[in-house]
Every structure is written in C-alpha cells, then in structure tokens.
Amino acid sequence: MAIERTFSMIKPDATKRNLTGKITAKLEEAGLRVIASKRVWMSRAQAEGFYAVHKDRPFFGELVETMTAGPTVVQVLEGENAILKNREVMGATNPANAAEGTIRKEFALSIGENSAHGSDAPETAAQEIAYWFSGVELVG
Ligand code: CMP
C-alpha cells in the first residue's frame, strides 16, 4: 500500500472545547503521523478561498462563519493509505451518520460544527496542503 499525505483540520468548535490532543491522538492511534501542524485563525478571505468549491452551496455563508469563529489547527498527515484512513477515523460529515468511535461521532456538535476536515482525494490533498503549508514546513 502506498505511503500518502493528506490534509486535516481540527475546526474551531473543537479547539474551543480543548479537543486538539484528543483528536490528534485518534489520528495517531490509526497509524497516521503528523508531519506538519500549526494553529491559525482564518480570515474570511482564507476561509472563502479554502472552501471555494462550496461557494454556491446554501450552507457556504454559515461554513465561512463557523471557520472564522476561532482558531483552527491545520495539519498534514502521512501514512499508508492516509487519505482514506483519515476519512475513516473522522467518520461521516454529518455526526448523526458517523460510526461509533469516530472523531465526528464522539466530538462533533452538528454537520456545520463537525470538529474535523480531511481531504477526499489525492488531488484535493495536494491542493489543500499547498494552501496552508510550504514544502519546508513538511517534515516527514
Ligand atoms: P467539511 O468536510 O469541512 O467540508 C465542507 C463542510 O461544510 C462540511 O465539512 C460541513 O462542516 C459543512 N456543511 C454545513 N452544512 C452542510 C451540508 N448540508 N452538507 C455538507 N456539508 C455541510
């Protein structure tokens, strides 16, 4: 299986409740290695740019509001099959549909305040990593 890199975020609803360590522990327990991490407070422009793919969706305004409401921890994860593995550990976007033991089942408050984000494919992983990190910040 290929060693991959993926992008992950611990969202403001989770940093506010001091869950950075608990969420990171779940990722590490699944075999993912944090090779870059920093805490950012997104500007409106950064949030709109990051989520530009959703700009025509009805929830876009609320999404930008929640992502600029407090600090976010942006991370790059590395490991075997990291993109899929991260999504499995996060669980379904809507916590009502998330499996037992997943980050969103345990910690998310709602679909909007769902505690974590992870890239869904190799192309988006590369784009999302490059949006927040320069090459020298990735230390594998
Ligand atoms: P995320 O994986 O960060 O990708 C886009 C985010 O939009 C998603 O998680 C949710 O937090 C948020 N969102 C809010 N409402 C919806 C919705 N109805 N469907 C999908 N995503 C939503």
Side-chain angles (χ1 to χ4, degrees):
M1 224 175 273
I3 299 290
E4 289 178 334
R5 289 179 175 179
T6 191
F7 176 75
S8 168
M9 293 196 292
I10 301 171
K11 295 186 178 185
D13 73 88
T15 62
K16 186 176 176 185
R17 288 176 288 145
N18 210 18
L19 293 170
T20 299
K22 284 190 173 151
I23 290 175
T24 302
K26 279 195 177 285
L27 300 169
E28 291 178 338
E29 282 159 14
L32 295 165
R33 181 175 297 273
V34 179
I35 64 159
S37 184
K38 62 188 173 190
R39 189 167 158 106
V40 298
W41 193 315
M42 283 187 204
S43 66
R44 173 164 288 271
Q46 283 175 317
E48 287 175 349
F50 182 79
Y51 279 118
V53 67
H54 294 307
K55 68 180 189 316
D56 296 326
R57 307 285 288 274
F59 57 81
F60 187 65
E62 183 194 324
L63 175 58
V64 171
E65 287 304 317
T66 57
M67 293 306 298
T68 54
T72 292
V73 175
V74 292
Q75 297 179 320
V76 180
L77 308 176
E78 185 177 81
E80 278 189 5
N81 221 3
I83 296 167
L84 183 62
K85 193 174 281 181
N86 181 36
R87 292 181 69 78
E88 284 173 359
V89 178
M90 278 195 307
T93 304
N94 186 344
N97 302 326
E100 286 299 326
T102 61
I103 289 167
R104 285 166 169 164
K105 177 71 178 183
E106 283 193 26
F107 303 122
L109 302 174
S110 63
I111 192 167
E113 293 187 302
N114 63 353
S115 300
H117 165 86
S119 308
D120 61 4
E123 299 73 29
T124 46
Q127 285 166 11
E128 291 177 357
I129 290 169
Y131 193 88
W132 292 108
F133 294 97
S134 67
V136 293
E137 292 178 290
L138 312 180
V139 184

